Amino acid sequence: MSQSNDCIFCKIVKGEIPSTKIFEDDDVLAFMDIFPVTEGHCLLIPKKHYVNLFDVDLDLLAKVSKKLAELARKVNRAFSPDGVLTAAANGPGAGQEVPHLHFHVIPRNEGAEFGFHFPESYRDSMAPREELERIAKTIRES
Ligand code: 5GP
Ligand code: ZN
């Protein structure tokens, strides 16, 4: 299996550093985050090393996505939180610190201090339709 020697999550997959596992199969590993934001915060990774959504094999991602839903459902049943946040940061600019694709699964309750932080002013004015059309076109054609 293709892995990176200096990657902390590859080391977890290989058992070179300890982790608290939830489940695993040939393709994925679900384990507890060592710095949990809330009780039940865990991570799901493909065992094979990919940096993030920009390079991951799409057939593998389909398998990972299915397991992500399974893990989110388990966490939801285990803790009955107000909601479960599932998120992946792609690139340092998005907050990715460990460069091995991982999805956070985080139980979240009303009033939690964490979440996506949009600026206060972001709802002040709707974007003009022409601008949304132009930006959508840029994304569509990329
Ligand atoms: P990122 O900021 O890259 O989206 O998230 C990386 C996550 O990996 C963080 O939530 C961090 O707590 C977790 N993490 C970093 N090192 C380890 C480790 O050695 N073991 C475990 N279980 N989690 C880790
Ligand atoms: Zn890795």
Side-chain angles (χ1 to χ4, degrees), residues 3-4 7-10 48-50 99-100:
Q3 289 177 324
S4 165
C7 170
I8 196 157
F9 286 175
C10 283
K48 194 171 170 188
H49 182 86
Y50 289 98
H100 180 131

Side-chain angles (χ1 to χ4, degrees), residues 92-103:
Q96 184 176 14
E97 289 184 357
V98 176
H100 180 131
L101 175 63
H102 54 279
F103 291 90

Side-chain angles (χ1 to χ4, degrees), residues 37 41 57 78 94 118 136:
V37 175
H41 179 185
D57 175 84
F118 295 105

Side-chain angles (χ1 to χ4, degrees), residues 19-58:
S19 68
T20 302
K21 295 180 183 179
I22 302 165
F23 62 67
E24 65 183 314
D25 65 13
D26 288 348
D27 299 307
V28 305
L29 171 63
F31 60 105
M32 300 309 298
D33 195 297
I34 205 162
F35 295 114
V37 175
T38 60
E39 183 179 69
H41 179 185
C42 51
L43 300 168
L44 181 74
I45 62 170
K47 287 188 170 177
K48 194 171 170 188
H49 182 86
Y50 289 98
V51 176
N52 54 39
L53 286 183
F54 302 151
D55 67 337
V56 66
D57 175 84
L58 295 183

